């Protein structure tokens, strides 16, 4: 395997591992604010029980996510020396702002969030929870700003072999950031909503902690029902801002090599070298209809329109997009059915739906990971799209040492992910009963 391929695999594995945790914790941090605020306002012990239970899952995921995020920063300098040197004047200050505005805020208040319950005033506890949540949102904001600039770079001049900012407003609020940031924020909220709903449904199936379970499922499905239609609107505008500038990404995610297919490809096994699909399944005329032509005359663009040296890997882009898209369809269907059950007053008696909801716990995470694969693979072979090729940005390292590093990191991430899943399973088995306030337990 080449040095470029090894470096790309190491960075991709690290980013995918890291993104698993913000996909849960950013949304959970907002939920914690809502739950403690409701407890403070109403005095209902169930909200405090929910706060304590979800805080435990948030805390461990938050810690692992921070550690994995730090590794990404080191890999930028070690594996991608050319990238760090050329984009440093732009990317460096953005990442620095994440540290100053997000990490410092989180570090200043995370201790109160985790250990202040019962030790500080409720107002102080609520304020600390809000500040930690604000820190997670700020962190995602700066990361999306940096990544969006790589997708649609603006506000810079290339001088002395480096990208130098000339207008920070255009650097940060680049064409895709305006839509990608709310799109990502909605995505992590929806992902956390399905995570919460799935675990809450588990307790409905088991007949345990019913007050806790019903409120968890109700709040989570309510949030998802509000955000999913908004997410459709935001996703359409992300495509409108990004894909016209990256036609090769659009061509790859459509799954066509030539511009002759008016259908929509739902399954394909692309052969990049032969420039054809070994096998594919296409719905006739649907691609043309998506392009707002019901006459079945408008074909989807093919990847052959892009020069061979500028083509992304079709398989990664195609399947990354389909993972995101099909997961989104599943979530839409789930929320729609849940709304029907709620209106018919059968949401709490539909045992089969509760079991299905339990199995759908990770669907939001899968959608986010699919979206990141689409965005990053579709940008190739560019790191800064249209300006800096990935092959020109990689560091000249010893392949043997890099291979050892890739295997070592992969094993470590697998162990850490397994440990986190095991922790969630153990927490679920212990249950939220232990999190009831003492006065409530004594009253029973």
């Amino acid at each position: 395997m080449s040095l470029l391929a090894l470096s790309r695999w190491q960075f991709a594995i690290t980013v995918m591992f890291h993104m698993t945790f913000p996909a849960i914790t950013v949304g959970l941090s907002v939920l914690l604010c809502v739950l403690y605020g409701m407890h403070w306002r109403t005095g209902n012990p169930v909200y405090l029980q929910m706060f304590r239970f979800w805080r435990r899952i948030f805390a461990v995921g938050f810690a692992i996510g921070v550690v994995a995020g730090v590794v990404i920063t080191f890999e930028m300098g070690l594996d991608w020396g050319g990238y760090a040197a050329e984009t440093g004047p732009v990317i460096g200050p953005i990442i620095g702002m994440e540290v100053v505005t997000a990490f410092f805020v989180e570090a200043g208040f995370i201790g109160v969030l985790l250990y202040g319950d019962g030790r500080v005033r409720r107002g102080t506890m609520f304020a600390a929870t809000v500040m930690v949540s604000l820190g997670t949102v700020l962190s995602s904001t700066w990361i999306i700003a940096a990544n969006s600039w790589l997708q649609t770079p603006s506000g810079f001049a290339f001088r002395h072999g480096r990208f130098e900012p000339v207008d920070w407003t255009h650097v940060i609020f680049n064409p895709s950031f305006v839509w990608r940031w709310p799109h990502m924020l909605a995505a992590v909220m929806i992902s956390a909503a399905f995570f919460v709903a799935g675990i809450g449904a588990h307790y409905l199936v088991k007949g345990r902690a019913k007050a806790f379970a019903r409120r968890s499922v109700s709040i989570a499905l309510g949030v998802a029902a509000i955000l999913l239609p908004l997410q459709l609107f935001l996703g359409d505008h992300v495509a409108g801002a990004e894909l016209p500038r990256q036609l090769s990404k659009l061509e790859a995610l459509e799954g066509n090599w030539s511009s002759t297919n008016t259908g929509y490809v739902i399954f394909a096994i692309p052969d990049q070298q032969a420039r054809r699909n070994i096998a594919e399944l296409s719905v006739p005329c649907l691609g043309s209809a998506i392009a707002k032509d019901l006459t079945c005359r408008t074909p989807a663009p093919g990847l052959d329109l892009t020069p061979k040296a500028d083509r992304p890997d079709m398989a990664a882009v195609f399947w990354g997009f389909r993972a995101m898209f099909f997961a989104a369809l599943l979530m839409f269907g789930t929320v729609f059915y849940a709304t029907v059950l709620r209106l018919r007053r059968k949401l709490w008696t539909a045992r089969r739906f509760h079991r299905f909801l339990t199995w759908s716990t990770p669907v939001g995470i899968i959608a986010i990971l699919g979206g990141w694969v689409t965005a990053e693979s579709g940008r190739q072979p560019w790191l800064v799209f249209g300006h800096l090729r990935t092959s020109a940005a990689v560091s000249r390292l010893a392949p043997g040492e890099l291979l050892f590093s890739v295997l070592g990191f992969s094993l470590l991430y697998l162990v850490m992910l397994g440990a986190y899943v095991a922790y969630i399973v153990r927490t679920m088995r212990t249950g939220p009963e232990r999190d009831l306030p003492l006065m409530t337990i004594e009253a029973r």
Side-chain angles (χ1 to χ4, degrees):
M1 188 176 291
S2 68
L3 181 63
L4 177 61
L6 286 171
S7 296
R8 288 183 62 188
W9 270 109
Q10 184 174 53
F11 196 75
I13 291 169
T14 302
V15 170
M16 294 285 281
F17 173 75
H18 168 70
M19 274 308 304
T20 302
F21 300 96
I24 300 171
T25 56
V26 176
L28 279 186
S29 72
V30 178
L31 175 65
L32 292 177
C33 295
V34 173
L35 293 176
Y36 199 85
M38 291 297 294
H39 166 66
W40 187 20
R41 178 183 177 186
T42 66
N44 190 332
V46 174
Y47 290 117
L48 183 57
Q49 178 191 28
M50 294 171 67
F51 172 82
R52 290 172 173 174
F53 178 86
W54 294 114
R55 179 182 59 181
R56 284 190 279 148
I57 293 178
F58 164 81
V60 177
F62 176 83
I64 299 176
V66 168
V67 172
V70 172
V71 174
I72 292 175
T73 306
F74 280 106
E75 286 185 4
M76 286 182 181
L78 291 173
D79 291 357
W80 303 97
Y83 162 80
E86 294 193 29
T87 66
V90 174
I91 299 298
I94 295 177
I95 300 301
M97 288 301 297
E98 182 199 8
V99 174
V100 172
T101 63
F103 283 3
F104 283 8
V105 170
E106 292 166 344
F109 293 94
I110 190 67
V112 180
L113 169 62
L114 298 181
Y115 304 109
D117 186 16
R119 296 181 175 89
V120 300
R121 294 181 179 180
R122 290 184 178 181
T124 304
M125 187 68 185
F126 178 72
T129 306
V130 170
M131 293 305 292
V132 171
S133 180
L134 177 63
T136 63
V137 173
L138 283 173
S139 179
S140 65
T141 301
W142 292 113
I143 292 300
I144 294 298
N147 186 266
S148 296
W149 184 83
L150 300 178
Q151 303 282 351
T152 53
S154 61
F156 73 94
F158 195 77
R159 300 170 182 157
H160 311 297
R162 301 193 305 174
F163 296 88
E164 296 185 359
V166 295
D167 188 334
W168 277 108
T169 301
H170 286 87
V171 168
I172 296 173
F173 297 98
N174 56 77
S176 61
F177 171 80
V178 176
W179 295 106
R180 290 182 85 228
W181 178 71
H183 180 65
M184 189 62 198
L185 189 60
V188 294
M189 294 290 292
I190 294 169
S191 175
F194 269 83
F195 182 81
V196 170
I199 293 178
H202 167 78
Y203 291 114
L204 290 177
V205 172
K206 297 295 182 181
R208 295 175 54 187
K210 292 184 178 180
F212 164 91
R214 286 187 176 186
R215 280 178 171 80
S216 294
V217 172
S218 182
I219 292 173
L221 290 179
V223 169
I226 294 171
L227 290 181
L228 277 167
L230 175 63
Q231 184 70 322
L232 180 64
F233 170 80
L234 293 171
D236 184 61
H237 281 77
V238 169
E242 188 175 294
L243 294 183
R245 295 172 174 83
Q246 299 185 17
L247 292 177
S248 56
K249 180 185 293 185
L250 173 63
E251 294 158 4
L253 67 83
E254 290 289 351
N256 297 301
W257 291 97
S258 61
S259 301
T260 58
N261 183 18
T262 59
Y264 181 77
V265 181
I266 60 175
F267 175 88
I269 303 176
D271 185 335
Q272 193 80 10
Q273 297 299 322
R275 289 175 290 182
R276 67 182 184 88
N277 291 332
I278 298 174
E280 72 173 47
L281 178 63
S282 179
V283 179
C285 295
L286 182 57
S288 181
I290 293 174
K292 301 179 182 179
D293 179 7
L294 301 181
T295 65
C296 199
R297 295 177 181 175
T298 303
L303 195 56
D304 277 350
L305 295 175
T306 298
K308 186 175 181 180
D310 295 336
R311 293 173 189 164
D313 182 75
M314 181 185 282
V317 182
F318 178 87
W319 284 110
F321 179 77
R322 277 144 189 83
M324 176 183 68
F325 180 68
F326 292 146
L329 289 181
L330 178 62
M331 289 188 285
F332 265 97
T334 301
V335 168
F336 178 80
Y337 187 64
T339 303
V340 171
L341 290 175
R342 193 192 294 265
L343 293 175
R344 296 177 63 188
R345 301 183 184 277
K346 294 183 178 181
L347 182 59
W348 309 124
T349 58
R351 298 298 295 274
R352 289 183 179 178
F353 177 72
H354 297 160
R355 292 190 181 93
F356 172 80
L357 198 57
T358 300
W359 283 104
S360 71
T361 299
V363 67
I365 302 172
I366 293 171
I368 289 176
L369 295 180
W372 274 99
V373 169
T374 304
E376 299 306 284
S377 298
R379 190 177 75 236
Q380 298 303 315
W382 304 95
L383 266 182
V384 181
F385 191 82
H387 297 278
L388 176 63
R389 287 187 177 271
T390 307
S391 57
V394 67
S395 299
R396 303 305 171 189
L397 303 174
E401 294 177 357
L402 187 56
L403 177 60
F404 177 79
S405 177
V406 171
L407 295 176
F409 271 98
S410 300
L411 180 60
L412 177 61
Y413 293 151
L414 185 62
V415 171
M416 294 175 69
L417 184 61
Y420 185 57
V421 172
Y423 173 78
I424 293 174
V425 171
R426 190 183 70 176
T427 302
M428 290 173 62
R429 288 176 177 172
T430 302
E433 290 87 354
R434 58 169 280 188
D435 297 307
L436 269 173
L438 183 60
M439 64 184 72
T440 306
I441 297 174
E442 291 175 347
R444 289 184 174 182

